[in-house]
Amino acid sequence: TQHSNGGAAGDNGEAAPPSVPPSLAPPRKVALVTGITGQDGSYLTELLLGKGYEVHGLIRRSSNFNTQRLDHIYHDPHSQPSTPRPPMRLHYADLSDSSSLRRALDHILPDEVYNLAAQSHVAVSFEVPDYTADVTATGALRLLEAVRLASKRIRYYQAGSSEMFGSTPPPQSESSPFHPRSPYAAAKVAAHWYTVNYREAYGLFACNGVLFNHESPRRGENFVTRKITRAVGRIKVGLQTKVFLGNLSAARDWGFAGDYVEAMWRMLQQDKPGDYVVATEESHTVEEFLQAAFGYAGLNWKDHVVIDKKYFRPAEVDSLQGDATKARKELGWKPKIGFQQLVEMMVDNDIELAKKEKVLVDAGYRDPKQQP
Ligand code: NDP
Ligand code: GDR
């Protein structure tokens, strides 16, 4: 869908439909997405382009290309001059650099800002706590301040997390207390309250989405679901035999990222700003995920999983299961993809990926020992 909307009226010199003079066509909404190169950023961009938005994304400098998740959307004007470009633009900025955020906001003047950028790995946050706080907590504050100074009519979405509930027992809803169990979770709690404060202090239309875990074939490869499905694919085609994991008894409420970005967008279309839990309301342990993923591929996880202490965390979040009543009632949101379907989608994708890797290994272009 993003391609058909990519050349919408006004972009790339294309004419508006004949029945609507360009001056009378409603102006296209403009969104700014931080973390656009991440899992959620890519799904949200597809959703917004499909709704006719002009999408601007902030990307940070990296020594390797970091736009793989957007490659199917982006059209290089040099190599594809005749293909209409979707209205998506990328700008260099960093959540640790206020001046870059101010410049981006003042230049783009978006209608909506989605703050998805973060150091988002819980285990890594114990290794780089200071950096995690700077990007995940103070980065949100910098962005809120840039939004407030640019225009108070901008609507702001903050990517909050079920990790904020930490050791609070399930089911967790908007009224459950936060008890963060990692530097990442504590930083997200700070970002949550900065967002509430900017709403109360300045009347900003600012929303917190408290999203439970959501996965997809685009999930980062060191989160447990994708680590497992990548291993299933590679084991299935003979590229590896073992996968090393930590705590298998933790329970998570896993949904599909494509469904969850729809809830983010819906929050910013309400009459009033608010905070919403987004979850499937169903919980499974890591072991159950293993059973489902290996079982679907005709394998027994017990033949392949090795426990490695290094993947245990200094403090664990044992059990998450959301109560998304408010999102269901006020946003009219519910997940379309269930647990088994999600597992199968990810395993199917990763078996295909492993088959391609195998071609490279067999041709001598890749070392099979290089695990993701
Ligand atoms: P990812 O880790 O896939 O993406 C994180 C994004 O943030 C990437 O685009 C990354 O850029 C960017 N980023 C990291 N550091 C900076 C920085 N200093 N300045 C600018 N950009 C930066 O996360 P997800 O897509 O899975 O999650 C999106 C958001 O939602 C995150 O804030 C996450 O914490 C939160 N969240 C995620 C949940 C989930 O289950 N997926 C659940 C609840 C909340 P690069 O590509 O260059 O690394
Ligand atoms: P989480 O996701 O910490 O919930 O944060 P992750 O997939 O990293 O861990 C889920 C559970 O699996 C256990 N686990 C392992 N985890 C990883 N990464 N690697 C392993 O080898 C492994 N073995 C067992 C973990 O201990 C944990 O209990 C994700 C991130 O996307 C956050 O940004 C987001 O806010 C939350 O989800 C909601």
Side-chain angles (χ1 to χ4, degrees):
T1 55
Q2 70 274 13
H3 292 162
S4 55
N5 281 281
D11 189 53
N12 306 313
E14 282 199 3
S19 55
V20 186
S23 56
L24 297 183
R28 186 158 57 193
K29 274 198 182 178
V30 177
L32 174 65
V33 180
T34 75
I36 194 167
T37 56
Q39 170 189 252
D40 291 7
S42 67
Y43 283 108
L44 181 64
T45 299
E46 286 172 2
L47 178 93
L48 294 173
L49 290 173
K51 292 185 183 298
Y53 278 68
E54 175 180 311
V55 179
H56 294 260
L58 300 188
I59 57 166
R60 57 182 181 157
R61 196 268 158 181
S62 156
S63 69
N64 284 314
F65 284 120
N66 56 359
T67 50
Q68 295 90 332
R69 292 188 180 97
L70 299 170
D71 284 349
H72 63 291
I73 305 172
Y74 183 74
H75 288 185
D76 182 346
H78 301 299
S79 63
Q80 301 156 282
S82 57
T83 316
R85 285 170 79 194
M88 179 186 75
R89 302 288 175 267
L90 301 177
H91 313 264
Y92 280 109
D94 198 297
L95 279 203
S96 63
D97 183 328
S98 314
S99 66
S100 69
L101 302 177
R102 289 283 302 278
R103 225 177 6 257
L105 261 300
D106 291 346
H107 171 65
I108 298 160
L109 262 186
D111 300 291
E112 297 171 7
V113 170
Y114 295 86
N115 182 28
L116 309 184
Q119 189 303 92
S120 75
H121 201 284
V122 174
V124 172
S125 78
F126 289 98
E127 311 294 327
V128 286
D130 198 339
Y131 172 77
T132 301
D134 188 41
V135 172
T136 306
T138 311
L141 179 63
R142 292 184 188 107
L143 187 60
L144 280 161
E145 189 63 3
V147 165
R148 174 177 85 86
L149 293 171
S151 163
K152 289 217 204 93
R153 60 157 191 82
I154 298 173
R155 297 186 169 206
Y156 176 90
Y157 173 83
Q158 170 60 31
S161 164
S162 51
E163 283 294 293
M164 300 189 296
F165 295 121
S167 55
T168 297
Q172 295 98 355
S173 71
E174 292 80 5
S175 55
S176 304
F178 293 148
H179 187 141
R181 297 270 288 165
S182 63
Y184 165 80
K188 282 289 185 190
V189 171
H192 176 96
W193 286 112
Y194 289 142
T195 305
V196 172
N197 180 243
Y198 270 62
R199 186 167 71 213
E200 293 175 355
Y202 305 116
L204 211 66
F205 194 109
C207 299
N208 284 294
V210 183
L211 272 52
F212 282 61
N213 299 52
H214 44 278
E215 320 294 312
S216 74
R218 298 183 203 165
R219 183 60 142 152
E221 296 187 2
N222 58 357
F223 295 96
V224 79
T225 55
R226 189 78 200 288
K227 185 170 169 182
I228 291 170
T229 60
R230 279 292 270 141
V232 168
R234 286 172 54 91
I235 291 167
K236 191 75 186 160
V237 304
L239 287 176
Q240 74 184 65
T241 55
K242 300 287 178 208
V243 57
F244 297 88
L245 295 171
N247 177 18
L248 306 188
S249 59
R252 292 289 182 273
D253 179 331
W254 279 297
F256 171 52
D259 287 342
Y260 284 44
V261 297
E262 170 84 28
M264 298 175 186
W265 176 77
R266 288 191 184 205
M267 283 177 215
L268 296 199
Q269 313 313 310
Q270 300 304 298
D271 293 336
K272 286 194 196 139
D275 305 325
Y276 296 88
V277 159
V278 178
T280 68
E281 308 189 322
E282 196 182 304
S283 188
H284 295 272
T285 61
V286 175
E287 186 174 319
E288 283 163 2
F289 193 98
L290 280 168
Q291 258 158 9
F294 277 83
Y296 176 61
L299 299 164
N300 183 349
W301 69 271
K302 289 186 177 157
D303 297 335
H304 304 282
V305 172
V306 180
I307 301 300
D308 183 338
K309 282 206 170 65
K310 93 171 178 202
Y311 294 112
F312 283 78
R313 296 168 182 185
E316 179 61 287
V317 170
D318 295 323
S319 184
L320 294 173
Q321 182 168 14
D323 170 354
T325 308
K326 184 179 173 191
R328 249 186 293 121
K329 287 199 175 142
E330 291 186 14
L331 305 179
W333 178 89
K334 62 174 190 319
K336 297 189 184 87
I337 305 276
F339 177 73
Q340 186 61 30
Q341 218 181 333
L342 174 68
V343 171
E344 293 180 11
M345 179 201 299
M346 292 177 72
V347 170
D348 284 339
N349 176 82
D350 284 338
I351 288 177
E352 285 312 305
L353 190 56
K355 283 183 191 160
K356 290 181 192 154
E357 269 185 287
K358 179 117 176 25
V359 172
L360 294 178
V361 169
D362 290 345
Y365 290 120
R366 195 173 172 140
D367 178 356
K369 291 198 290 299
Q370 263 179 14
Q371 287 197 17

